[in-house]
């Protein structure tokens, strides 16, 4: 009876294990081992197969990430431009930007429940909501989310969140949505400047150029409408909104550091709790002082309010959790792409004039935003790319000369007369 012992030998990380049979002493009918040349050939074929499979899997993964990125970019662009346009439409019937800010911020409470639903479907280790909540609370410290932590680490960000959204919505009342969306892109430059000053981040000349372009674009945007009071106030409001957004991001990194997905979801839900407990009194005061007044609750366009809140919630979900499926740079591109979308809508729905100064300002701010998306080591990558191109050119030139020389030598051999032809 033949005796064989089986073992599982994985070829590589990209291939599944294969079952091989090994020779046992005393087996007369065992398979002969291949010759050295055949073994080398077989090993080479297997090695190339493993490499091709690995490359194929890597390329498929990158393609999936890219296509997911395109979907996220379209989602960010449509949700951001859609919420901006819907807010503009809402103010024609319901002139209450702070109340709209308060109403939309309350929807942030859905962040943690939506995250937990995703956790249940995706994570192999299922945890109860209470267990997951306690684990995410470690983000606030060893004692979790205490009252002291709530007022020192959550409340300031709740105020900044409210100011950012309120100033942005109030600016929409004063100027067109194109100017608002392009000026808000300056928050990327403000984040760099604050990070450089407060966090001592690495100095990058290209980002200083981007910040200068952003400031120049703001000045040109102010000049585009001739320094009228409404335009100046509107531009000041949206620049203030971009500044509050930059301060929010820098302080978050300074005080809390980086957060995981569950921790970020819990933090945003906590902001909605702060909004309900401590900001609710402000819309009530504005209503009774008739600063933001409406005759009856039947007049309120609830469809517009809920639509705006859903779009803003979608935008924040994609902005905070989109990096799980795609590249962060692609997500930021969605914000820039909302500018031409708003420009097209404004062209057909408002009396905006795209004069040369406004167009140049939009281009300058957009260019500054794109420069800020460059990675920190972009100059190193560029130098490596240029070095590789130079090496390739140097390798191609000798090869080309060698081909020409060998061609001339072969031609001379063919045309050179032999001595035998002159013998007779």
């Amino acid at each position: 009876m033949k005796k064989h012992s089986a073992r599982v030998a994985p070829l590589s990380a990209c291939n599944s294990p294969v079952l091989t049979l090994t020779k046992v002493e005393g087996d007369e009918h065992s398979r002969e081992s291949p010759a050295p040349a055949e073994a080398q050939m077989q090993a080479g074929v297997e090695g190339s197969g493993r490499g091709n499979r690995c490359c194929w899997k890597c390329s498929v993964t990158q393609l999936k990430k890219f296509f997911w990125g395109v979907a996220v970019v379209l989602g960010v662009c449509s949700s951001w431009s859609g919420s901006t346009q819907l807010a503009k439409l809402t103010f024609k019937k319901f002139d209450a930007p702070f109340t709209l800010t308060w109403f939309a911020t309350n929807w942030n409470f859905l962040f943690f429940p939506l995250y937990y639903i995703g956790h249940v479907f995706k994570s192999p280790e299922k945890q109860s909501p209470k267990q997951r909540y306690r684990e995410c609370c470690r983000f606030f410290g060893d004692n979790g989310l205490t009252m002291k932590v709530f007022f020192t680490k959550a409340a300031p960000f709740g105020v900044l969140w409210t100011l950012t959204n309120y100033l942005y919505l109030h600016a929409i009342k004063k100027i067109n949505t194109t100017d608002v969306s392009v000026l808000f892109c300056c928050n990327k430059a403000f984040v760099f400047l604050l990070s450089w000053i407060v966090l001592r981040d690495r100095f990058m000349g290209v980002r200083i150029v981007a910040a200068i372009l952003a400031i120049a674009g703001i000045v040109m945007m102010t000049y585009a409408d001739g320094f009228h009071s409404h335009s100046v106030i509107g531009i000041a409001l949206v620049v203030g909104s971009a500044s509050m957004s930059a301060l929010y991001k820098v302080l978050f990194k300074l005080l809390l550091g980086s957060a995981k997905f569950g921790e970020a979801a819990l933090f945003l839900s906590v902001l909605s709790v702060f909004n309900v407990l401590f900001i609710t009194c402000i819309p009530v005061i504005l209503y009774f002082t008739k600063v933001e007044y409406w005759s009856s609750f039947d007049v309120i366009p609830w469809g517009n309010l809920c639509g705006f809140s859903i779009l803003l919630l979608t935008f924040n979900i994609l902005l905070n959790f989109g990096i799980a499926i795609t590249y962060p740079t692609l997500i930021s591109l969605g914000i820039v792409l909302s500018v031409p979308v708003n420009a097209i809508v404004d062209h057909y729905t408002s009396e905006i004039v795209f004069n040369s100064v406004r167009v140049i300002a939009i281009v300058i701010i957009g260019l500054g935003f794109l420069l800020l998306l460059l990675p920190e080591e972009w100059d190193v990558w560029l130098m490596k790319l240029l070095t590789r191109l130079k090496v390739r050119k140097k390798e191609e030139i000798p090869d080309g000369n060698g081909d020409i020389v060998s061609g001339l030598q072969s031609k001379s051999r063919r045309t050179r007369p032999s001595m035998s032809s002159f013998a007779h």
Side-chain angles (χ1 to χ4, degrees):
M1 183 178 178
K2 297 180 182 180
K3 296 181 181 180
H4 291 82
S5 64
R7 70 181 178 198
V8 177
L11 293 177
S12 69
C14 296
N15 294 311
S16 58
V18 294
L19 191 65
T20 60
L21 295 177
T22 59
K23 184 179 177 181
V24 180
E25 292 181 6
D27 187 2
E28 298 175 356
H29 302 282
S30 61
R31 186 177 56 183
E32 294 182 358
S33 61
E38 294 178 357
Q40 290 178 2
M41 186 180 297
Q42 185 177 0
V45 171
E46 291 178 355
S48 62
R50 291 196 297 267
N52 291 334
R53 289 175 188 174
C54 288
C55 293
W56 171 253
K57 286 188 176 182
C58 291
S59 60
V60 169
T61 304
Q62 290 176 353
L63 279 175
K64 285 182 178 179
K65 203 168 186 180
F66 176 77
F67 285 124
W68 273 114
V70 172
V72 171
V73 165
L74 294 176
V76 170
C77 176
S78 58
S79 59
W80 185 236
S81 57
S83 62
T84 303
Q85 293 295 333
L86 193 56
K88 186 82 171 180
L89 186 64
T90 303
F91 291 146
K92 295 179 180 178
K93 303 176 182 178
F94 183 69
D95 189 8
F98 196 94
T99 304
L100 181 59
T101 301
W102 172 84
F103 183 81
T105 305
N106 290 335
W107 287 62
N108 280 6
F109 185 78
L110 296 175
F111 266 101
F112 191 75
L114 291 174
Y115 161 76
Y116 182 75
I117 292 172
H119 164 76
V120 169
F121 281 101
K122 297 294 290 184
S123 179
E125 297 180 0
K126 311 299 180 186
Q127 291 181 325
S128 65
K130 191 174 182 180
Q131 290 175 334
R132 197 64 195 159
Y133 169 78
R134 286 180 177 177
E135 186 174 336
C136 293
C137 278
R138 296 176 185 173
F139 171 68
F140 295 100
D142 297 333
N143 297 325
L145 184 60
T146 61
M147 290 298 294
K148 180 181 178 181
V149 171
F150 180 80
F151 284 106
T152 56
K153 293 187 177 180
F157 293 101
V159 174
L160 289 174
W161 180 283
T162 302
L163 286 175
T164 299
N165 289 279
Y166 169 68
L167 293 174
Y168 184 87
L169 292 176
H170 198 68
I172 293 175
K173 289 177 54 182
K174 302 291 184 181
I175 55 179
N176 56 74
T177 56
T178 303
D179 294 351
V180 172
S181 58
V182 72
L183 287 169
F184 190 77
C185 290
C186 295
N187 77 320
K188 199 86 173 174
F190 298 157
V191 169
F192 163 69
L193 292 175
L194 286 174
S195 299
W196 181 38
I197 296 170
V198 178
L199 302 178
R200 305 295 182 184
D201 280 1
R202 177 187 170 189
F203 174 82
M204 292 181 62
V206 68
R207 293 187 177 179
I208 288 292
V209 173
I212 294 172
L213 289 175
I215 295 171
I218 294 171
V219 175
M220 292 186 69
M221 191 66 72
T222 308
Y223 178 75
D225 287 331
F227 294 98
H228 296 300
S229 60
H230 270 280
S231 63
V232 172
I233 293 172
I235 291 170
L237 288 171
V238 71
V239 170
S241 174
S243 302
M244 293 297 105
S245 174
L247 187 61
Y248 175 97
K249 294 176 181 178
V250 173
L251 284 181
F252 188 93
K253 191 174 181 181
L254 179 66
L255 300 178
L256 299 173
S258 58
K260 298 177 182 178
F261 293 119
E263 295 166 350
L266 178 62
F267 182 80
L268 292 170
S269 295
V270 169
L271 293 187
S272 69
V273 174
F274 172 82
N275 185 70
V276 171
L277 295 177
F278 299 99
I279 307 295
T280 304
C281 59
I282 298 178
V284 174
I285 294 171
L286 294 176
Y287 174 79
F288 284 107
T289 56
K290 295 189 177 181
V291 176
E292 292 185 359
Y293 181 78
W294 53 94
S295 57
S296 65
F297 285 92
D298 296 333
V299 181
I300 299 175
W302 292 107
N304 289 2
L305 267 66
C306 293
F308 170 79
S309 302
I310 292 171
L311 287 173
L312 194 61
L313 179 66
T314 304
F315 170 76
N316 286 309
I317 288 174
L318 293 174
L319 204 64
N320 287 280
F321 304 128
I323 57 174
I325 55 177
T326 188
Y327 306 100
T329 304
L330 289 178
I331 299 174
S332 299
L333 285 177
I335 301 174
V336 181
L337 292 176
S338 66
V339 176
V341 173
N342 285 323
I344 294 171
V345 175
D346 284 347
H347 177 71
Y348 290 102
T349 59
S350 64
E351 298 178 354
I352 185 173
V353 178
F354 288 100
N355 52 31
S356 58
V357 178
R358 175 174 273 112
V359 172
I360 293 172
I362 292 173
V363 171
I364 285 176
I365 295 176
L367 179 61
F369 188 91
L370 293 176
L371 288 176
L372 288 165
L373 295 181
L374 291 174
E376 291 186 357
E377 292 82 13
W378 72 274
D379 52 345
V380 178
W381 294 353
L382 182 61
M383 291 302 296
K384 287 182 180 179
L385 179 62
L386 293 175
T387 304
R388 288 179 182 176
L389 292 175
K390 288 180 180 179
V391 170
R392 284 184 182 179
K393 285 183 179 179
K394 289 180 180 179
E395 289 176 353
E396 289 174 359
I397 291 173
D399 293 341
N401 292 337
D403 293 340
I404 294 171
V405 172
S406 61
L408 290 174
Q409 289 176 352
S410 62
K411 186 176 180 182
S412 64
R413 290 195 191 100
R414 291 195 302 269
T415 58
R416 185 182 300 162
S418 62
M419 295 302 295
S420 61
S421 62
F422 296 100
H424 300 287

